[in-house]
Amino acid sequence: MPDGTQKKPSRIQKRNRRVILDAALEVFSKQGYRGATLDQIAAEAGLSKPNILYYFQGKEDIHLTLLSQLMETWLDPLVELDPDGDPQTEILAYVQRKLDMARDLPRESRLFAGEILQGAPRMGPHLESDLKPLFDEKCAVIAGWIEAGKIAPLDPHHLIFSIWAATQHYADFAAQVSVLLGKDTDPHQKASDHLSDMFGKMLRP
């Protein structure tokens, strides 16, 4: 607008953006960034391709928007690791939060995994500015617990990597888990029990 002010989006415009982003999340989580197309996103959203381009500049703009929104959600479970809490309780609670995320946000997990597998071409700056400082901070907390003899002497970095690998597997490899356990099986409770037992034994000083 001439005076530099920007008109607030209407309720319908907000709704359409949400519909487009949800449709794009579905498409990206199944097809990956390279395999996804604007036509697929438009079809999933039930909107025309020109309508998609009214709200976003293109596929990359949509993908970046999704990843940016996801980053805060992705970091929250690690943010909640309390330096003043009981170390074993805090780490096992973190494992549970990551497993809950794999159950509740499988599409988001696959979106993030797909970006990382491509070398993080769009998320690289966010990993450096947001994830790395938090990761370093929490590794220092865990190292302090180890030095105080409160948990077993494990490498903090690889402990967190192991938690990510063990929990995100249930989202990123859901198709394989479904085949191996049976489509009608909900793996969450057994996974929760198993991971609590496994990491509990690992952490015991």
Side-chain angles (χ1 to χ4, degrees):
M1 296 178 70
D3 61 358
T5 60
Q6 192 171 10
K7 189 177 179 181
K8 290 184 178 180
S10 68
R11 181 175 56 83
I12 293 176
Q13 288 173 325
K14 289 179 181 178
R15 174 193 170 278
N16 283 347
R17 278 183 63 89
R18 286 196 303 269
V19 167
I20 293 167
L21 289 172
D22 187 67
L25 177 59
E26 184 71 18
V27 172
F28 284 131
S29 70
K30 290 180 177 178
Q31 306 297 335
Y33 179 77
R34 293 176 183 170
T37 67
L38 283 177
D39 287 328
Q40 291 169 339
I41 294 170
E44 182 71 28
L47 298 169
S48 68
K49 186 174 175 179
N51 210 337
I52 301 290
L53 292 172
Y54 173 80
Y55 293 97
F56 296 94
Q57 295 177 10
K59 182 174 80 168
E60 183 172 8
D61 185 23
I62 299 172
H63 195 247
L64 275 169
T65 301
L66 283 170
L67 288 170
S68 297
Q69 291 179 353
L70 173 60
M71 197 65 194
E72 183 176 351
T73 301
W74 212 245
L75 296 178
D76 279 346
L78 191 55
V79 169
E80 292 181 35
L81 192 74
D82 184 1
D84 298 321
D86 173 72
Q88 290 193 53
T89 300
E90 287 299 319
I91 293 173
L92 292 179
Y94 175 57
V95 172
Q96 187 62 52
R97 289 193 294 273
K98 288 295 292 179
L99 187 61
D100 289 345
M101 183 175 286
R103 177 195 61 195
D104 299 335
L105 303 172
R107 298 182 304 171
E108 289 84 349
S109 181
R110 289 192 287 271
L111 176 77
F112 189 81
E115 170 69 7
I116 300 303
L117 285 170
Q118 290 181 27
R122 287 158 289 277
M123 283 297 289
H126 292 284
L127 297 181
E128 287 285 349
S129 64
D130 300 329
L131 178 58
K132 189 170 186 339
L134 177 64
F135 178 75
D136 290 344
E137 174 193 331
K138 299 304 181 180
C139 283
V141 169
I142 295 171
W145 288 337
I146 292 168
E147 189 174 346
K150 294 180 178 179
I151 57 174
L154 303 167
D155 185 302
H157 307 85
H158 293 282
L159 173 61
I160 293 177
F161 292 159
S162 296
I163 293 171
W164 292 349
T167 55
Q168 290 167 211
H169 175 91
Y170 291 96
D172 301 343
F173 291 85
Q176 177 175 270
V177 171
S178 178
V179 169
L180 297 178
L181 295 183
K183 292 184 178 179
D184 297 327
T185 301
D186 179 3
H188 185 78
Q189 186 56 54
K190 287 189 176 181
S192 177
D193 294 341
H194 169 73
L195 294 179
S196 292
D197 183 56
M198 181 178 74
F199 282 107
K201 288 176 180 176
M202 288 173 59
L203 294 168
R204 203 167 294 140

